[in-house]
Amino acid sequence: MNYTILIGGEAGQGIDTTANLLAKILKRHGFYVFSNSDYMSRIRGGHNFIQVRFSDKPLHSHISKNDVIFALNRETIEIHSKNLTKIGIIICDRNIDVEDIKGKILVLPLLEKAKELKNQRVFTTVGLGVILKYFSLDISIGEEVIVEEFNKEVAEINLQALKKGYELVSTEISVGKLEDKNILINGNQAVALGAIAAGCKFYCGYPMTPSTGILTFMSQHSNEMGIVVEQVEDEVAALNMALGASYAGVRAMTGSSGGGFALMVEALSLAGMIEVPVVVIDVQRPAPATGFPTRTEQADLQFVIHAGHGEFTRMVIALRDVEDAFYQTARAFNIAEKYQIPVLLLSDQYLADSLKTIAPFDFEKISIERYISAEEVITEEEYKRYKITETGVSPRILPGKIPGQVVLVDSDEHDEEGHITESAEIRKAMVEKRLRKFEYLKEELQEPWFVGEENPENLVIGWGSTYGPIKEAIETLVEEGFSIGALIFGDIWPLPTNRLLEFSKKAKKIIDIEQNATGQLEKLIRQETLMKATHKILKYDGRPFSSDEIYNKLKEVLT
């Protein structure tokens, strides 16, 4: 059982609200849900749509074909009718001209029913009622979700609208009901929860799509979680403010998209020089410059690895799905404090905005390790904030915690105590100290996830949010008898190479799949291992890979 419902129309018609209600209703029925959104950078007009896919088995991606299209305008039908499945149907209001449209169309008086309630804006809820009845979904669950979602007055009229829609049609597909045991969450929410679980007590940022959801979620829960959340004037201030909070002793994080991260690079170098831990997330979108503000891409990988002037240690982690986003964000804080470095997370609009059902997070797996030194580590009269050690990591105390000791930091080159220096010998020693962390950081690396047939003849490499569509495509190909597997990287820098070198020994074809134009991961792999992909499947039009799209492209390579 596997169905996809597309809801499309203009911005301002209630697409997002309707789709979110539907996703929650399906989740309450116990189904696995994956919902992705495609929207323009405008408040009104244009063409937006959301696909809500549901199944009795776990889902990891969207697909291009739709079983139901709920069209709020004619443009939606014109664009998407070609992607209907054989059993597919279009649901629309009877005021939409569909005379020249081929396919099965259910033309209904949705707007008329809404006007009977003296509020034509609820016609989308009338349509939602139609969808529930079409799939024999329990209307009482729909009513529960509406009551939870709206205030009493708004809920009441939407309940009436839902019922009117439910009575308009008869059931065509009976999907039943399963046990509701999962949570429904998107990537930005998972990142925010991971930070909260890790003990983050300060988050700041400037609203920039598609990262704003993290700032919003943190702000909504700041009081109950005891977190200071600050909307700053720009991204220059954001990272500097986060560094100040971290220096003072709290776990701090900031986030933006590529354009905002570009403004942070000077402060990123400051983090490297003063060795203050911080977590930064870049939720990628197509660039350069403003690019596509509401679309997706994976084009910041090389930029993030090399951002900032000078040489210093940092870690880069790409988030692969909503579950990974939670656990890797929490892990990032421990690594940042253990090595006193910036840890940079890479997400993108596809992961940020997509809703997915997963098992509830296991907070017992999250350990908070602060790596704050005690008073007994100070063996000299004056505390050496930048004491040269074998690992490059110096004892860290918090300012004001140990009487008589000053925690001195400076953006100029400095000696072990933190005093400015012009010494060539000290400069050389400090550069080597900061870079020495990199070798020890490699001990933290997690190898890429593997899906597919063991020791495959065809090896796919990918990273980040391509995990879901690649996983579904690979599993289908394996079922069809192809010898294929995929390594999906989460830890990117330093680059883990053990599994890659192991699997590449047998692979006759190495296929790179990325959402950028230049194959940035493949370039990094070539740089670190001299290994080169035999084929590349690259996409950079701002739209995410679907699992069936990757399946078709891989089949072309394999046959």
Side-chain angles (χ1 to χ4, degrees), residues 29 161 213 262 272 438:
H29 278 77
F438 190 77

Side-chain angles (χ1 to χ4, degrees), residues 216-227:
T216 302
F217 189 92
M218 286 288 210
S219 178
Q220 290 171 340
H221 298 278
S222 59
N223 289 335
E224 60 184 302
M225 294 299 172
I227 302 170

Side-chain angles (χ1 to χ4, degrees), residues 433-476:
K433 168 200 180 308
R434 291 188 289 265
L435 293 179
R436 206 150 50 236
K437 300 176 187 180
F438 190 77
E439 294 306 314
Y440 289 89
L441 182 60
K442 290 179 180 178
E443 298 174 3
E444 305 286 342
L445 291 180
Q446 296 178 356
E447 291 292 321
W449 291 351
F450 178 77
V451 294
E453 180 182 282
E454 288 295 330
N455 300 312
E457 294 181 2
N458 303 283
L459 180 65
V460 171
I461 55 174
W463 62 280
S465 68
T466 57
Y467 165 71
I470 289 176
K471 175 181 170 63
E472 290 194 0
I474 294 292
E475 289 175 345
T476 303

Side-chain angles (χ1 to χ4, degrees), residues 61-361:
S61 169
H62 71 292
I63 55 177
S64 58
K65 294 292 185 179
N66 304 293
D67 299 290
V68 171
I69 295 175
F70 177 22
L72 308 187
N73 60 5
R74 179 179 167 84
E75 184 180 18
T76 299
I77 301 173
E78 292 172 344
I79 292 172
H80 298 286
S81 59
K82 64 180 181 294
N83 288 326
L84 270 176
T85 62
K86 291 180 180 179
I87 65 164
I89 186 171
I90 297 169
I91 298 171
C92 67
D93 185 73
R94 64 184 181 188
N95 288 327
I96 297 175
D97 180 14
V98 294
E99 282 188 15
D100 59 335
I101 303 295
K102 296 180 181 179
K104 187 178 179 182
I105 304 177
L106 201 55
V107 179
L108 300 168
L110 305 178
L111 195 57
E112 180 183 316
K113 294 296 179 182
K115 287 179 177 178
E116 289 176 6
L117 298 172
K118 297 182 172 53
N119 188 338
Q120 65 183 42
R121 293 172 62 186
V122 299
F123 88 99
T124 55
T125 308
V126 178
L128 178 61
V130 171
I131 294 170
L132 298 193
K133 185 65 171 292
Y134 187 85
F135 285 101
S136 73
L137 296 167
D138 189 343
I139 191 173
S140 67
I141 293 178
E143 291 168 342
E144 288 174 8
V145 171
I146 285 174
V147 169
E148 292 172 8
E149 198 72 16
F150 303 116
N151 63 41
K152 187 175 181 180
E153 182 180 351
V154 176
E156 181 55 39
I157 193 168
N158 276 278
L159 289 172
Q160 295 178 54
L162 188 75
K163 187 175 181 181
K164 283 183 177 291
Y166 204 80
E167 294 171 346
L168 273 178
V169 296
S170 58
T171 293
E172 295 293 329
I173 300 171
S174 184
V175 294
K177 189 176 178 183
L178 303 173
E179 181 186 356
D180 179 16
K181 57 184 179 181
N182 292 317
I183 62 173
L184 182 66
I185 190 169
N186 68 30
N188 276 344
Q189 293 167 340
V191 167
L193 277 175
I196 292 169
C200 177
K201 292 299 177 184
F202 182 82
Y203 185 92
C204 62
Y206 182 83
M208 186 173 188
T209 305
S211 70
T212 309
I214 302 170
L215 179 65
T216 302
F217 189 92
M218 286 288 210
S219 178
Q220 290 171 340
H221 298 278
S222 59
N223 289 335
E224 60 184 302
M225 294 299 172
I227 302 170
V228 174
V229 178
E230 181 76 14
Q231 180 177 320
V232 296
E233 61 270 28
D234 55 37
E235 290 83 358
V236 176
L239 184 48
N240 279 296
M241 194 175 285
L243 290 175
S246 182
Y247 164 76
V250 300
R251 288 192 153 181
M253 179 179 180
T254 184
S256 187
S257 189
F261 182 78
L263 296 178
M264 296 182 185
V265 294
E266 184 180 15
L268 189 66
S269 287
L270 176 62
M273 176 60 91
I274 64 177
E275 301 184 52
V276 168
V278 69
V279 176
V280 183
I281 186 166
D282 173 2
V283 186
Q284 301 163 95
R285 73 191 206 190
T290 308
F292 273 164
T294 61
R295 308 293 183 184
T296 198
E297 199 161 88
Q298 292 184 313
D300 292 352
L301 178 62
Q302 292 283 351
F303 171 44
V304 168
I305 289 173
H306 299 289
H309 49 294
E311 298 169 304
F312 57 95
T313 299
R314 93 280 305 275
M315 187 170 191
V316 178
I317 303 172
L319 310 179
R320 287 165 285 204
D321 62 13
V322 294
E323 189 171 22
D324 195 46
F326 172 79
Y327 291 109
Q328 294 297 345
T329 301
R331 172 178 171 241
F333 281 90
N334 286 340
I335 291 173
E337 291 207 309
K338 183 176 182 179
Y339 295 95
Q340 300 169 23
I341 59 171
V343 176
L344 311 177
L345 302 175
L346 280 169
S347 180
D348 52 49
Q349 182 272 327
Y350 181 56
L351 174 56
D353 291 338
S354 293
L355 283 167
K356 183 181 177 182
T357 47
I358 58 170
F361 297 127

Side-chain angles (χ1 to χ4, degrees), residues 138 288 420 445 532 549 553:
D138 189 343
I420 296 174
L445 291 180
K532 187 176 181 180
E549 180 182 6
K553 289 183 179 297

